[in-house]
Amino acid sequence: MRIGELSRKTGVPVPTIKYYVREGLLPPGELTSRNQASYGEAHERRLQLIRALLDVGGMKVAAIADVLAAVDDPERPLHKVLGAAADRIGSAHAEHDDAESAAAQDVVADLISRRGWRAHESNPAAADLAKALAAMARLGHGAFTEVLDDYADAAEQVARADLRYVDRQVAVEDRVEGVVVGTVLGEAVFSALRRLAHVDASARLYGTDAPQGRGTG
Amino acid sequence: MRIGELSRKTGVPVPTIKYYVREGLLPPGELTSRNQASYGEAHERRLQLIRALLDVGGMKVAAIADVLAAVDDPERPLHKVLGAAADRIGSAHAEHDDAESAAAQDVVADLISRRGWRAHESNPAAADLAKALAAMARLGHGAFTEVLDDYADAAEQVARADLRYVDRQVAVEDRVEGVVVGTVLGEAVFSALRRLAHVDASARLYGTDAPQGRGTG
């Protein structure tokens, strides 16, 4: 199909499609004449993936380019792509070097060992976890670590569901894409579910009788 | 204390503190002379909260201002503040109006009713959930809804832990702040835990023998 049809089918404006091609997110179309290119279903699908990572996953274009490069590289084992997709979500913020940071790193190392997780404390996710716990401790919410194992139980359950879902995909390229979709969009799904469960739990605990509409209403 | 000491204690530069006061995030100090103001522990604590919401929660200044206004208003019932804090995290992206959107909205309404959640499908979190599921369906991952109840189980568990934690805070102002911290920073904690659990689950499933360091390494 021509670029105009690809644009109509995906709702992505033509200049945006050209930008994605320039940035290496989307492979170029096949040249059918001097200044005309033809696009196929793979382009359509890739555009949908890019839009989902942008709109729902909240990822930046540069981060998406990195993840797609990992998806497209058949040499990369699946768990590395999963790692790359996950690391892209993680934050890169100002480092603190205080007692709370040191204590939070110990809490994370203990958690990983207590749960027998085959993940090293040098993993970026472990660093992000320590950062969040240290920020809580600075706010006087150091006791939050007492519910950490409840959180970890829930995280294990979600991770098992994700892997079970990915494992069902037959073709390897589908599987790799499934990992990316599951990691990034699954994050958005869980975040929304948690907020819904909050509304329910707080309605029960603090006794509002009607179902909640807009939280701010 | 003077603004310089407040800056040293919190690591927030003086011009940034002044900016937060101008934007209404931080109450002004008490004037002790014509051009000198004095700040107390409440200012220090509020600054830590602002930094945590910015750095770890990834919230924008305008969104933080809204949430803090809700925290400071004693007329607002707790579950409304919780709603405001949660809604601020949610995304406001381009709407789609297609078959996938309609189907996803039905899936969400079914889920809320099946689980007996006291949350209305007009809740912003329900809309975000439908958006994420529709994006997955457009990518051919409509079957992801089959693991939705695993996600919902985990979300309930996390929400119960959050509310249990908040409920332990004695003073109401601590409780309100606890809700904001738990909602925003708890999100960052769970996201990091899920990524760690992924590393573990995929290492077990796809057989890497050594603990994983950097996912991209």
Side-chain angles (χ1 to χ4, degrees):
Chain A
M1 71 191 102
R2 301 231 193 124
I3 195 166
E5 191 185 342
L6 181 65
S7 168
R8 271 193 305 282
K9 274 194 162 179
T10 57
V12 180
V14 169
T16 308
I17 295 177
K18 289 182 173 168
Y19 166 72
Y20 292 156
V21 172
R22 278 200 308 277
E23 293 295 315
L25 273 69
L26 191 70
E30 197 188 335
L31 280 183
T32 51
S33 74
R34 199 192 157 93
N35 51 13
Q36 202 155 60
S38 167
Y39 297 84
E41 269 181 32
H43 290 94
E44 193 183 332
R45 190 181 170 83
R46 176 55 60 97
L47 265 180
Q48 299 277 22
L49 179 58
I50 294 168
R51 297 309 297 195
L53 296 178
L54 272 175
D55 290 344
V56 183
M59 289 176 72
K60 297 210 169 67
V61 166
I64 294 175
D66 284 357
V67 168
L68 293 180
V71 166
D72 290 338
D73 181 354
E75 297 294 305
R76 291 183 90 129
L78 196 54
H79 71 272
K80 301 262 167 161
V81 179
L82 178 61
D87 292 354
R88 289 295 116 197
I89 308 178
S91 46
H93 296 301
E95 294 289 337
H96 282 267
D97 185 19
D98 55 12
E100 284 84 1
S101 292
Q105 280 159 23
D106 287 347
V107 167
V108 172
D110 281 354
L111 179 82
I112 290 174
S113 116
R114 182 168 69 245
R115 304 202 68 101
W117 280 352
R118 295 169 71 169
H120 197 265
E121 50 191 282
S122 70
N123 190 289
D128 284 342
L129 177 59
K131 228 174 276 176
L133 294 176
M136 284 186 161
R138 275 178 219 115
L139 291 163
H141 289 279
F144 187 84
T145 53
E146 286 167 29
V147 298
L148 201 54
D149 275 289
D150 290 296
Y151 268 63
D153 287 343
E156 281 182 5
Q157 180 166 5
V158 164
R160 277 195 304 268
D162 288 339
L163 272 285
R164 211 163 54 233
Y165 177 70
V166 167
D167 209 39
R168 281 204 321 216
Q169 316 288 322
V170 179
V172 171
E173 58 274 25
D174 287 354
R175 205 184 253 206
V176 169
E177 198 199 81
V179 168
V180 173
V181 169
T183 301
V184 180
L185 301 196
E187 182 96 3
V189 167
F190 186 83
S191 165
L193 282 170
R194 175 175 181 245
R195 285 152 55 207
L196 279 176
H198 270 167
V199 172
D200 176 62
S202 67
R204 285 172 202 277
L205 199 59
Y206 300 112
T208 46
D209 38 34
Q212 289 296 306
R214 284 200 68 87
T216 49
Chain B
M1 72 190 101
R2 301 233 193 122
I3 196 167
E5 192 184 342
L6 181 64
S7 167
R8 271 193 305 281
K9 273 194 163 178
T10 57
V12 180
V14 169
T16 307
I17 295 176
K18 289 182 173 169
Y19 165 73
Y20 292 156
V21 173
R22 278 199 310 277
E23 293 295 314
L25 274 68
L26 190 70
E30 198 187 334
L31 279 183
T32 51
S33 74
R34 199 193 156 92
N35 51 13
Q36 202 153 60
S38 168
Y39 297 84
E41 270 181 32
H43 289 95
E44 192 182 332
R45 190 180 170 84
R46 175 56 58 96
L47 265 180
Q48 299 277 22
L49 178 59
I50 294 168
R51 296 311 297 196
L53 296 178
L54 272 174
D55 290 344
V56 183
M59 288 175 72
K60 298 210 169 67
V61 166
I64 293 174
D66 284 358
V67 168
L68 293 180
V71 166
D72 290 338
D73 181 354
E75 298 293 304
R76 292 183 90 130
L78 196 55
H79 70 272
K80 301 263 166 159
V81 178
L82 178 60
D87 292 354
R88 289 294 118 197
I89 309 177
S91 45
H93 295 301
E95 294 290 338
H96 283 266
D97 185 20
D98 54 12
E100 284 85 0
S101 292
Q105 280 159 23
D106 286 347
V107 167
V108 172
D110 281 354
L111 178 82
I112 289 174
S113 114
R114 181 167 71 244
R115 305 201 69 101
W117 280 352
R118 297 169 70 169
H120 196 267
E121 50 191 282
S122 71
N123 189 289
D128 284 342
L129 177 59
K131 226 173 278 176
L133 294 176
M136 285 185 160
R138 276 181 219 112
L139 291 164
H141 289 282
F144 187 83
T145 54
E146 287 167 29
V147 298
L148 201 54
D149 275 289
D150 290 296
Y151 268 64
D153 287 343
E156 282 182 5
Q157 180 168 6
V158 164
R160 277 195 304 268
D162 288 340
L163 272 284
R164 212 164 53 233
Y165 177 70
V166 167
D167 208 39
R168 281 203 322 215
Q169 316 288 322
V170 180
V172 171
E173 58 273 25
D174 286 355
R175 204 186 256 204
V176 169
E177 198 199 82
V179 167
V180 173
V181 170
T183 301
V184 180
L185 300 197
E187 183 97 4
V189 167
F190 187 83
S191 164
L193 282 170
R194 176 175 180 246
R195 286 151 55 207
L196 279 176
H198 271 167
V199 172
D200 176 61
S202 67
R204 285 171 202 278
L205 199 59
Y206 300 111
T208 45
D209 38 32
Q212 288 296 306
R214 284 201 67 87
T216 48

